[in-house]
């Protein structure tokens, strides 16, 4: 049994793909090892996947401010670690690194979408990503990329030796994502989902997640289709989300566009299982966990023709041109009008998700430590 120091100081209140990754990976590691987790005091309650082998090391909530958190993580946190652990695991290396690594360190890198989506972040964050992160990645001998696409980006933009990078796919919580584990009717009533719907699960930000082209595609659908299906958007409001909300408020179809905000993990299986289609129009993804969650829930998936989505959705999803809302619209209509295609997509998805397993992901982290 190893003693692992892990950082969850970039936990996003438990409301992001990063927090999903942190919870599931640390929980899986804890099945066989002791995991000591640096976390803000306020986030202990947000960390839902608790385990007897997960021990929280709480830090004050004033570190929630990004600049303070970044400075603390980089220059002060390393001195809390010492030599009493077997290794450090940094599950969000694209967010938080260290200036000094007192012991062997493994870091997970999720994506470099900032290089591929114009105006995704402000000048300060882009400077940090382009100039600071590469410096503090250099001492780390084992870097995990969650997709081959992310590995290629690390080599291209940071000139990292490919021998230092191991592709280790994300997983899906199969115990959570099972149909009918909650009262589906009750959840749908709570969320005012009275019609069938098309679904997109992603934080709401502009322009990166490309909500506007999806909404425009929905607006362009025939009236009888919109009368049958709402468009449901699930996710936390993040950078420039006001652009998306303003567009919805001015849309002629605003009554049919449901924005549910952040949902608890226990509600997501119901939201997925009752969707007709899952549509993923994002301009760039390091992996795209909602895509495999939809496959797990037997939902046909449509997605953008870029980044890791081409890798994860291969042989399963219907692809479209994410820059052209009419391409999204035509893809939606094609799948809606072809029941045989829907059945085949679901079957292919169920075969595909067999290779996405959090336990396997955690075991590979331990293998990297043993092979150091």
């Amino acid at each position: 049994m190893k003693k692992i120091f892990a950082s969850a100081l970039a936990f996003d209140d438990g409301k992001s793909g990063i927090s999903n990754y942190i919870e599931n990976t640390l929980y899986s590691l804890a099945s066989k090892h002791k995991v000591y987790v640096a976390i803000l005091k306020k986030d202990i309650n947000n960390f839902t996947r608790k385990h007897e082998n997960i021990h929280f090391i709480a830090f004050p909530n004033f570190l929630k401010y990004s600049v303070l958190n970044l400075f603390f993580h980089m220059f002060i946190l390393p001195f809390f670690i010492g030599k009493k652990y077997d290794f450090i695991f940094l599950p969000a290396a694209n967010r938080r690194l260290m200036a000094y690594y007192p012991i062997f360190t493994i870091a997970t890198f999720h994506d470099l979408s900032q290089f591929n989506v114009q105006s995704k972040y402000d000048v300060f964050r882009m400077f940090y990503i382009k100039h600071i992160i590469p410096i503090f990645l250099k001492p780390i001998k084992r870097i995990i990329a969650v997709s081959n696409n992310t590995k290629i980006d690390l080599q291209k933009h940071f000139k990292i030796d490919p021998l230092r990078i191991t592709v280790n796919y994300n997983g899906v919580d199969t115990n959570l994502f099972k149909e009918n584990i909650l009262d589906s009717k009750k959840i749908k009533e709570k969320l005012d989902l009275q019609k069938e719907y098309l679904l997109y699960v992603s934080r709401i930000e502009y322009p990166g997640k490309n909500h506007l082209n999806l909404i425009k595609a929905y607006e362009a659908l025939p009236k009888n289709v919109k009368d049958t299906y709402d468009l449901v958007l699930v996710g936390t409001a993040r950078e420039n989300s006001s652009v998306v909300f303003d567009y919805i408020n001015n849309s002629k179809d605003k009554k049919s566009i449901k924005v549910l905000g952040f949902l608890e993990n226990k509600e997501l299986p119901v939201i997925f299982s009752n969707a007709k289609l899952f549509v993923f129009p994002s301009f760039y993804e390091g992996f795209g966990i909602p895509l495999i969650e939809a496959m797990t829930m037997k939902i046909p998936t449509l997605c953008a023709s870029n980044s890791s989505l081409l890798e994860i959705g291969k042989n399963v999803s219907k692809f479209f041109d994410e820059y052209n809302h009419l391409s999204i619209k035509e893809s939606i209509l094609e799948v809606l009008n072809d029941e045989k295609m829907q059945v085949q997509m679901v079957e292919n998805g169920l075969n595909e998700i067999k290779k996405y397993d959090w336990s396997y992901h955690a075991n590979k982290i331990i293998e990297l430590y043993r092979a150091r």
Side-chain angles (χ1 to χ4, degrees):
M1 180 176 283
K2 304 302 178 187
K3 294 175 67 177
I4 304 165
F5 182 92
S7 171
L9 289 177
F11 196 62
D12 297 332
D13 297 320
K15 297 180 178 180
S16 70
I18 291 285
S19 54
N20 183 327
Y21 174 83
I22 291 172
E23 281 197 284
N24 282 293
T25 304
L26 299 189
Y27 184 85
S28 295
L29 284 168
S31 67
K32 297 179 181 177
H33 307 280
K34 291 188 179 296
V35 184
Y36 297 83
V37 184
I39 193 169
L40 298 182
K41 188 176 180 180
K42 70 179 180 64
D43 278 330
I44 293 176
N45 288 333
N46 297 326
F47 198 106
T48 59
R49 303 213 71 189
K50 293 181 171 65
H51 190 286
E52 62 181 0
N53 284 334
I54 292 178
H55 307 278
F56 294 113
I57 305 169
F59 288 94
N61 289 334
F62 67 78
L63 291 174
K64 67 182 180 181
Y65 299 104
S66 296
V67 175
L68 280 177
N69 191 298
L70 196 66
F71 182 88
F72 177 84
H73 199 284
M74 191 168 288
F75 298 106
I76 300 174
L77 184 62
F79 296 97
F80 280 87
I81 300 171
K83 307 286 184 180
K84 57 186 175 181
Y85 305 102
D86 290 293
F87 69 94
I88 298 168
F89 175 55
L90 299 180
N94 46 310
R95 298 272 192 90
R96 296 292 182 269
L97 289 166
M98 297 177 177
Y100 161 66
Y101 302 97
I103 55 177
F104 183 80
T105 299
I106 299 170
T108 296
F109 214 95
H110 296 272
D111 73 274
L112 280 167
S113 58
Q114 303 88 347
F115 287 86
N116 299 281
V117 180
Q118 190 174 6
S119 304
K120 182 176 173 68
Y121 290 140
D122 59 38
V123 173
F124 173 79
R125 289 182 71 174
M126 289 304 298
F127 180 84
Y128 173 73
I129 291 158
K130 288 184 175 181
H131 302 290
I132 305 299
I133 284 179
I135 294 171
F136 296 113
L137 269 180
K138 283 184 179 179
I140 300 176
K141 294 183 174 62
R142 294 291 181 269
I143 300 169
I144 290 171
V146 297
S147 65
N148 284 296
N149 185 79
T150 295
K151 179 176 181 176
I152 291 168
D153 277 353
L154 284 167
Q155 294 171 243
K156 176 182 177 181
H157 298 292
F158 291 164
K159 312 302 179 188
I160 294 176
D161 183 346
L163 295 178
R164 292 171 55 202
I165 307 169
T166 298
V167 175
N168 192 8
Y169 285 131
N170 289 327
V172 63
D173 182 0
T174 52
N175 290 323
L176 173 65
F177 282 88
K178 289 180 179 176
E179 294 181 87
N180 302 320
I181 61 169
L182 284 176
D183 185 341
S184 178
K185 183 178 179 181
K186 183 178 179 180
I187 295 294
K188 288 180 72 176
E189 288 177 352
K190 171 189 171 184
L191 298 172
D192 192 29
L193 299 176
Q194 299 173 14
K195 292 161 54 179
E196 292 187 90
Y197 53 87
L198 315 177
L199 177 67
Y200 182 27
V201 177
S202 169
R203 65 180 181 268
I204 299 175
E205 69 169 38
Y206 176 84
K209 297 300 181 179
N210 197 21
H211 287 82
L212 292 194
N213 274 335
L214 174 58
I215 296 168
K216 290 175 183 178
Y218 179 79
E219 290 174 327
L221 289 170
K223 183 178 183 301
N224 67 305
V225 175
K226 290 186 287 186
D227 287 343
T228 304
Y229 303 102
D230 283 338
L231 174 62
V232 171
L233 308 176
V234 175
T236 307
R238 297 293 291 273
E239 291 85 359
N240 301 316
S241 60
S242 60
V243 176
V244 178
F245 293 127
D246 287 345
Y247 189 93
I248 293 171
N249 287 333
N250 291 314
S251 171
K252 60 185 174 62
D253 294 311
K254 64 181 179 181
K255 291 184 179 179
S256 297
I257 302 171
K258 309 289 186 181
V259 182
L260 305 186
F262 172 77
L263 297 181
E264 296 180 12
N265 283 340
K266 64 184 180 181
E267 296 175 311
L268 283 176
V270 174
I271 297 302
F272 274 106
S273 65
N274 285 285
K276 184 64 176 179
L277 302 177
F278 178 77
V279 190
F280 206 160
S282 177
F283 283 127
Y284 210 85
E285 291 291 323
F287 184 88
I289 290 177
L291 187 58
I292 58 172
E293 291 174 340
M295 292 177 193
T296 304
M297 297 306 299
K298 305 177 184 178
I299 307 304
T301 58
L302 295 78
C303 59
S305 304
N306 67 56
S307 60
S308 63
L309 297 178
L310 287 168
E311 180 181 345
I312 308 304
K314 184 180 179 181
N315 302 322
V316 179
S317 301
K318 170 70 178 176
F319 291 101
F320 51 72
D321 178 0
E322 61 275 17
Y323 291 93
N324 184 345
H325 74 276
L326 294 179
S327 174
I328 303 174
K329 168 206 163 188
E330 292 303 324
S331 296
I332 291 171
L333 288 176
E334 182 179 351
V335 178
L336 283 177
N337 292 328
D338 193 332
E339 291 188 6
K340 288 185 179 180
M341 181 188 291
Q342 294 173 33
V343 171
Q344 189 62 58
M345 292 171 80
V346 168
E347 290 179 0
N348 292 347
L350 291 175
N351 286 327
E352 187 70 13
I353 61 169
K354 293 175 183 176
K355 66 184 183 185
Y356 302 114
D357 185 286
W358 287 119
S359 295
Y360 177 82
H361 186 93
N363 290 339
K364 204 162 188 177
I365 292 170
I366 299 302
E367 287 175 13
L368 288 174
Y369 166 72
R370 289 174 175 156
R372 67 194 184 281

